[in-house]
Amino acid sequence: MSAADSQAAYSLEPLVQAVVHGTNSLFQGASIPAITSDARTKSRSANIATKYRDEYMFTRDLPRGAENPGAQATSSSTSTQLILAGASTTQHITRVDEEVQKVLDGLSGKQSKTRAAKKEKQPTRDLVLAAADKANRQAGDAQTAAAAAGQQLVRKRNYEPVKPEWHAPWRMMRVISGHIGWVRSLAVEPGNKWFASGSVDRTIKIWDLASGTLKLTLTGHISPVRGLAVSARHPYLFSCGEDKQVKCWDLETNKVVRHYHGHLSGVYTLALHPVLDLLVTGGRDSVLRVWDIRTKQQVHVLSGHKSTISSVQCQEADPQVISGSMDSTVRLWDLAAGKSMTTLTHHKKSVRALALHPTQFGFASASSDNIKQWRCPKGEFVQNFDEGDGSIVNSLAVNSDGVVFSGADNGSMRFYDWKSGHCFQKTETIVQPGSLDSEAGIFCSTFDQTGFRLITGEADKTIKIWKEDDEATEDSHPIDFRPSLSRRRH
């Protein structure tokens, strides 16, 4: 800027003063003194000091004073003198700063004395940080271990298939003919010397198990015989049929000695209690009736099923009665209370067959959707057996070696391993020459008392006996086990 420009700028100031004086004279009738540069500087300094005091007075020195009291006292006093130099006319600000400084000085003195007194007793800052770092590492290790444990629990829930045991394949050893109708029921005598068969021809035949010869024919039913049971405690044979009748046969006289009346429709299944003198029957009237064998009286009427009861089993321990129905449910009954304990609704189709394991505390149920394994006494689901071909399973049998047999309407036969549910043999029954292919159905089956013979009753009016192949080995018939990666939970 040149000297001429500076003189022009300074010459404007009298003009501005004259304009301000004229304005005040016009509106207020009074004049104001001229604003000098010193007044502007003092005003700006007071404004800055006030803003600084309002925002930073109570926070600017305390943390640093507590951390380094000696140096902070000197720096804070110096900064206060420099900043408040322009605001010396404000007495209130000066008094407040002096009081704050006294408080800081007193706090610093007390803290220095306390630190000097407890210097040997208190740990140093490095030790404290080291201890905190160690604690953090331990906490991190604990969290890592917990996370690893949680991951292990998740992995355990993954399905790990059970390797099946090797079983020899089964083959047919004998065909027994004699009935002129479908064979609907079978029962093996506890002494394992003979077995009985019931047919649609309304007769009951007694066969020699070793030779397969006919020993006796019992007549008395007027409709197909649907259920048979031989007592292990009395010389009695019990039978039921579609004529609503339940009969007790005396095997010493080969005559009917008792009738059990009460069912309103056909009786499809029966079972004897292994310890008590009780007989349980079920049929189309959708109820289970518990009979006293000696007095012929009904002990209980177990109601709850919504459709025909197709299978019933009895055992010593609770649940003492297990039933399967066409309403696709399996019920476990409390025999003492006479009511249902548990209802299993896992099946989607009619449950036509039940089988108790001879040695383990469990049972299996068969339907056209699949075969399921259960654990007693609460009816806990264990596993599904390998998927079938969707045929209607009419019969189910289990032996003490863990072999599960299922027979279907279309003549298909499947043998499973009880432990793993693996199907180790798939075959079809051999139809008797002269019969139609549609007569290749299996209606009933049972193992003998040893578990080495399987007896099946079929739609071609024959009884077939099967046994394990004696020449089979693990090398000649290896296990074709291909487990899936997932497992159905219901």
Side-chain angles (χ1 to χ4, degrees):
M1 182 181 296
S2 61
D5 294 334
S6 300
Q7 292 178 0
Y10 291 141
S11 63
L12 291 177
E13 187 174 356
L15 296 177
V16 173
Q17 292 292 337
V19 171
V20 171
H21 178 74
T23 303
N24 284 279
S25 301
L26 180 63
F27 293 98
Q28 295 181 358
S31 61
I32 59 174
I35 301 175
T36 61
S37 59
D38 295 338
R40 292 193 185 94
T41 303
K42 291 182 180 180
S43 176
R44 189 180 298 109
S45 300
N47 189 12
I48 293 174
T50 304
K51 289 183 178 181
Y52 180 83
R53 171 187 170 281
D54 292 341
E55 294 186 13
Y56 303 106
M57 181 183 66
F58 298 103
T59 59
R60 61 179 181 179
D61 296 329
L62 184 58
R64 290 180 294 177
E67 181 179 0
N68 192 0
Q72 183 60 30
T74 305
S75 61
S76 61
S77 60
T78 305
S79 61
T80 303
Q81 293 176 2
L82 292 176
I83 294 173
L84 298 182
S88 58
T89 58
T90 308
Q91 299 298 329
H92 177 70
I93 296 176
T94 304
R95 289 197 300 270
V96 170
D97 289 340
E98 291 177 356
E99 292 176 358
V100 171
Q101 189 62 44
K102 290 180 181 180
V103 171
L104 291 177
D105 294 340
L107 179 61
S108 301
K110 291 181 180 179
Q111 289 180 349
S112 60
K113 293 179 181 179
T114 304
R115 287 184 179 181
K118 297 183 179 181
K119 184 175 182 180
E120 296 180 358
K121 297 182 180 180
Q122 292 183 350
T124 61
R125 183 172 180 270
D126 295 337
L127 294 178
V128 172
L129 292 177
D133 189 17
K134 183 178 180 181
N136 291 334
R137 287 198 303 270
Q138 292 178 353
D141 295 340
Q143 292 178 359
T144 304
Q151 293 177 359
Q152 291 176 1
L153 291 176
V154 172
R155 292 194 188 102
K156 286 182 180 179
R157 283 196 291 268
N158 292 337
Y159 173 51
E160 297 180 359
V162 180
K163 186 177 180 180
E165 298 180 0
W166 183 84
H167 299 282
W170 291 70
R171 61 181 181 86
M172 188 173 63
M173 63 171 291
R174 181 177 291 118
V175 179
I176 301 174
S177 301
H179 283 290
I180 58 175
W182 293 349
V183 182
R184 300 304 303 260
S185 57
L186 290 168
V188 179
E189 181 253 341
N192 209 39
K193 294 181 179 180
W194 54 267
F195 68 94
S197 63
S199 173
V200 176
D201 61 7
R202 301 167 295 176
T203 63
I204 301 171
K205 294 183 181 293
I206 308 297
W207 309 86
D208 184 74
L209 184 59
S211 62
T213 58
L214 179 64
K215 300 178 67 174
L216 183 66
T217 300
L218 302 175
T219 60
H221 283 280
I222 59 176
S223 288
V225 180
R226 299 295 297 268
L228 290 173
V230 183
S231 175
R233 307 172 67 243
H234 306 287
Y236 293 151
L237 169 67
F238 296 89
S239 64
C240 65
E242 296 180 7
D243 52 5
K244 312 177 189 178
Q245 297 183 10
V246 180
K247 297 178 181 291
C248 175
W249 304 79
D250 188 349
L251 297 177
E252 294 179 351
T253 61
N254 299 330
K255 294 181 180 179
V256 178
V257 294
R258 294 184 182 91
H259 285 88
Y260 303 92
H261 299 284
H263 278 284
L264 305 177
S265 187
V267 186
Y268 286 176
T269 179
L270 59 79
L272 282 169
H273 197 282
V275 178
L276 306 176
D277 290 335
L278 296 176
L279 174 68
V280 183
T281 59
R284 288 186 60 188
D285 54 3
S286 306
V287 296
L288 289 171
R289 299 182 186 271
V290 183
W291 309 88
D292 188 329
I293 294 175
R294 296 166 295 179
T295 63
K296 301 182 291 184
Q297 299 295 322
Q298 287 190 42
V299 179
H300 290 298
V301 178
L302 306 177
S303 60
H305 282 294
K306 305 299 182 183
S307 185
T308 301
I309 297 175
S310 57
S311 180
V312 63
Q313 296 289 338
C314 292
Q315 58 183 358
E316 298 181 12
D318 286 331
Q320 299 181 50
V321 180
I322 305 172
S323 62
S325 173
M326 298 289 187
D327 60 3
S328 70
T329 63
V330 178
R331 285 182 179 263
L332 283 60
W333 302 88
D334 185 351
L335 188 58
K339 61 182 181 180
S340 177
M341 295 172 52
T342 308
T343 302
L344 307 176
T345 61
H346 297 60
H347 283 287
K348 299 179 178 63
K349 301 291 184 179
S350 300
V351 181
R352 293 174 177 260
L354 295 174
L356 294 173
H357 195 283
T359 57
Q360 298 184 17
F361 198 29
F363 67 97
S365 60
S367 178
S368 59
D369 52 4
N370 52 23
I371 300 174
K372 299 181 183 294
Q373 182 181 341
W374 312 89
R375 183 184 299 109
C376 293
K378 296 182 180 180
E380 299 171 349
F381 174 75
V382 178
Q383 64 180 348
N384 283 314
F385 288 0
D386 288 348
E387 295 292 338
D389 53 1
S391 58
I392 299 174
V393 180
N394 289 323
S395 178
L396 204 62
V398 186
N399 67 359
S400 57
D401 291 336
V403 176
V404 182
F405 166 78
S406 67
D409 254 357
N410 58 0
S412 65
M413 304 173 62
R414 292 177 180 267
F415 294 87
Y416 300 89
D417 176 51
W418 172 271
K419 182 179 179 181
S420 63
H422 170 65
C423 180
F424 64 89
Q425 184 181 359
K426 300 177 183 179
T427 184
E428 292 185 359
T429 185
I430 302 173
V431 181
Q432 188 180 20
S435 300
L436 301 175
D437 292 338
S438 60
E439 293 180 330
I442 300 174
F443 292 122
C444 55
S445 65
T446 182
F447 286 97
D448 66 352
Q449 300 300 327
T450 62
F452 298 149
R453 298 291 184 272
L454 173 66
I455 308 172
T456 59
E458 304 187 7
D460 59 356
K461 308 170 189 177
T462 63
I463 301 169
K464 295 183 176 65
I465 301 179
W466 308 73
K467 71 172 185 178
E468 291 182 335
D469 189 356
D470 298 333
E471 299 178 356
T473 60
E474 296 187 23
D475 295 332
S476 61
H477 295 80
I479 300 176
D480 185 16
F481 183 49
R482 300 175 182 177
S484 60
L485 298 178
S486 61
R487 182 185 188 183
R488 292 180 59 183
R489 293 290 178 180
H490 61 287

